[in-house]
Amino acid sequence: MKSFWLLSGVMIVFISFFTEQHIIAKTSSEFLKTTKRTAIYDEIAGEWRKVGSLEKGQMFKVEEESDDYYHIRFSHGLGQVHKQDAVIVEDLGFTNLEEKHDLSQMIITREPVTVYDNATGTLIPFAKINHNMRYAVIQSYGENWWKIAIGGRIGYIYKPATEVDTGVPVLMYHHILKDNENKNYRDISTTISLDFFNENMKYLADHRYKVITLQELEGYLLRKENLTGKVVAITFDDGLKTNYLYAYPLLKKYGFKATEFTITNRTRKDPTPFNPDTLQFISFTEIEEMNVSEIFRFQAHTHGLHSRDVNYNPLLIVKSYEEVMHDLRVNQELLAPYGDVNYFAYPFGQYDEEALQALKDSGFRMAFTTKPGKVQIGDSLLELKRQGIGPWHDLQDFDKKISN
């Protein structure tokens, strides 16, 4: 097979072009034929983006339509194509229609890639996918090609223009202190310096990473939404006061969002004066301020089970199912005024089958461990990995944890 691909191109963000669209109906038996080369748009993590394009005179299967757009299948989501750039036609002998596939294997485009039709044995370009896009592949095809589906059609893209997706990094932080005030926690794995946290956030901004919410991550893992290649999610465990004092202003500065897994029996009603020599926890007053700004979302980390028994076993494991269920319910109820509580982080990262069952029965949709690694489609949603950031890490380590 002969290969072609573009060597330049810039991801363009489109926001003002899109208003709320009314979905008219599913039109799965219809096909559109492009009357010109036309862009594909998709809403990814709250932003409308140009994610690819369709060549002139090509046919694609319509999944839905709205007032101004036809919606076609694009990886795990739906891309939108301007109606003015296409017409509805009958199926005129389509020979390369997509069939049902698992689509768990993901790649990331390193540059704009051309999608070729090979139904006749001759490569015909019929679409493009922009650079920095996560895309589902059906299978490897020979040494140099991926077999994919786009707009209901089977196509082939050149492997060297892509890289295998190693997963989405979910960052895990706990405690943040300034160097000059850190007297008691210098050798504690969960405490990092404010300077280093600032370096982390600046690195994400400078290298154009998109910070996604856990809800957006869930949509991706459920194969309902698409993501770009350079994304991270940010989480904090325990609900410490320094997250309010130090992390919150920096996240706001960079326009990032984060999730706080909160231990509610340590959460006071009103703030206490800051003392860096002890572990202090945020108050519900501070939670309210952080929640209104939509910088932080507050999720569950147990109410009173973030402790160990006399044998050093986590209470989440040693307590009965009924006790765990009661604790989870209280944790959820106390956090409910600040949004839906659907996600959980295991105390000390430890759990057993009974704890997993209690989470399922409590309605939690995702749960996070402290096991190192990235999150991939097909992972157990109640046993997701995270990338912990500790005091021994530097920016080179940070880059390794977030890069593909």
Side-chain angles (χ1 to χ4, degrees):
M1 289 185 175
K2 193 175 181 181
S3 60
F4 304 89
W5 66 95
L6 297 179
L7 299 177
S8 62
V10 178
M11 180 69 76
I12 304 173
V13 178
F14 290 83
I15 298 175
S16 60
F17 292 168
F18 288 83
T19 58
E20 184 175 350
Q21 293 287 316
H22 175 251
I23 302 299
I24 298 172
K26 292 209 171 187
T27 55
S28 58
S29 62
E30 293 185 331
F31 293 83
L32 64 85
K33 184 175 183 179
T34 52
T35 56
K36 59 185 290 188
R37 179 180 291 176
T38 183
I40 310 170
Y41 304 97
D42 191 11
E43 185 179 10
I44 299 179
E47 293 182 347
W48 284 103
R49 295 173 176 264
K50 179 182 175 182
V51 295
S53 60
L54 308 178
E55 294 298 322
K56 178 181 177 180
Q58 296 295 319
M59 288 176 56
F60 301 89
K61 190 175 181 181
V62 178
E63 301 292 332
E64 296 175 349
E65 62 178 294
S66 53
D67 295 336
D68 299 318
Y69 297 91
Y70 294 121
H71 302 192
I72 66 169
R73 182 61 55 188
F74 186 86
S75 191
H76 290 306
L78 293 178
Q80 300 194 26
V81 178
H82 279 288
K83 283 186 173 180
Q84 65 188 22
D85 297 340
V87 294
I88 291 293
V89 295
E90 295 180 359
D91 179 5
L92 303 177
F94 233 9
T95 59
N96 63 337
L97 281 174
E98 174 192 6
E99 299 176 354
K100 294 291 184 182
H101 298 282
D102 176 56
L103 297 182
S104 294
Q105 172 70 64
M106 303 296 295
I107 54 94
I108 298 175
T109 56
R110 299 165 58 180
E111 56 195 70
V113 295
T114 300
V115 186
Y116 295 95
D117 185 320
N118 193 40
T120 63
T122 300
L123 290 179
I124 300 173
F126 70 93
K128 286 187 173 65
I129 301 170
N130 278 16
H131 79 287
N132 189 39
M133 290 302 306
R134 275 186 162 84
Y135 209 91
V137 301
I138 297 172
Q139 65 185 49
S140 177
Y141 188 81
E143 183 178 350
N144 291 319
W145 299 88
W146 293 114
K147 182 180 180 180
I148 70 161
I150 182 169
R153 293 178 62 175
I154 295 297
Y156 299 85
I157 60 176
Y158 193 55
K159 277 186 182 179
T162 71
E163 57 190 18
V164 174
D165 179 17
T166 60
V168 178
V170 178
L171 301 177
M172 177 178 62
Y173 297 96
H174 290 76
H175 195 26
I176 300 171
L177 286 172
K178 295 178 180 178
D179 283 330
N180 62 4
E181 64 190 11
N182 187 359
K183 300 175 183 177
N184 298 331
Y185 303 98
R186 290 191 178 276
D187 298 322
I188 303 300
S189 63
T190 52
T191 302
I192 65 170
S193 73
L194 176 57
D195 287 342
F196 186 52
F197 181 73
N198 185 29
E199 288 178 348
N200 288 186
M201 298 303 103
K202 185 176 185 301
Y203 192 89
L204 293 177
D206 289 347
H207 290 80
R208 299 188 177 184
Y209 276 83
K210 174 68 177 177
V211 177
I212 61 172
T213 65
L214 295 190
Q215 184 176 5
E216 290 159 349
L217 176 64
E218 181 186 16
Y220 171 74
L221 294 178
L222 292 176
R223 300 176 174 88
K224 295 180 178 179
E225 298 180 20
N226 292 321
L227 288 178
T228 52
K230 296 174 73 171
V231 297
V232 301
I234 300 175
T235 66
F236 293 80
D237 282 10
D238 302 342
L240 293 163
K241 187 178 182 72
T242 56
N243 299 168
Y244 169 77
L245 291 175
Y246 297 138
Y248 176 48
L250 280 173
L251 291 169
K252 185 184 292 188
K253 172 184 175 181
Y254 289 108
F256 295 160
K257 297 182 183 297
T259 296
E260 182 79 64
F261 292 112
T262 311
I263 307 168
T264 45
N265 79 338
R266 303 181 190 179
T267 307
R268 298 170 179 256
K269 179 181 178 181
D270 298 310
T272 57
F274 178 53
N275 179 3
D277 297 332
T278 64
L279 281 181
Q280 296 176 292
F281 294 84
I282 51 175
S283 66
F284 283 109
T285 301
E286 291 160 330
I287 286 178
E288 178 67 29
E289 179 186 341
M290 297 162 76
N291 187 69
V292 167
S293 70
E294 298 187 348
I295 299 297
F296 269 94
R297 284 291 177 260
F298 295 87
Q299 298 294 319
H301 202 30
T302 74
H303 176 65
L305 297 184
H306 198 299
S307 298
R308 300 178 185 270
D309 67 7
V310 293
N311 296 316
Y312 208 62
N313 296 310
L315 294 185
L316 185 68
I317 294 176
V318 300
K319 292 293 184 179
S320 69
Y321 170 85
E322 290 74 19
E323 289 173 307
V324 172
M325 285 292 292
H326 173 73
D327 182 274
L328 295 177
R329 183 169 61 253
V330 173
N331 198 203
Q332 287 174 305
E333 289 174 351
L334 289 173
L335 294 173
Y338 312 103
D340 295 336
V341 185
N342 301 315
Y343 312 125
F344 184 83
Y346 297 101
F348 315 110
Q350 295 179 278
Y351 57 96
D352 59 9
E353 288 300 321
E354 193 169 81
L356 282 172
Q357 189 60 51
L359 287 179
K360 292 177 185 177
D361 294 342
S362 298
F364 287 103
R365 302 204 301 255
M366 292 197 304
F368 294 84
T369 70
T370 58
K371 296 175 184 176
K374 297 177 183 177
V375 175
Q376 300 192 47
I377 289 176
D379 288 350
S380 168
L381 294 188
L382 294 181
E383 300 175 275
L384 298 175
K385 298 175 181 177
R386 286 188 288 176
Q387 298 286 53
I389 307 299
W392 55 85
H393 292 131
D394 57 22
L395 272 183
Q396 185 175 3
D397 298 322
F398 184 74
D399 175 75
K400 290 178 181 179
K401 286 177 177 290
I402 64 173
S403 66
N404 196 61

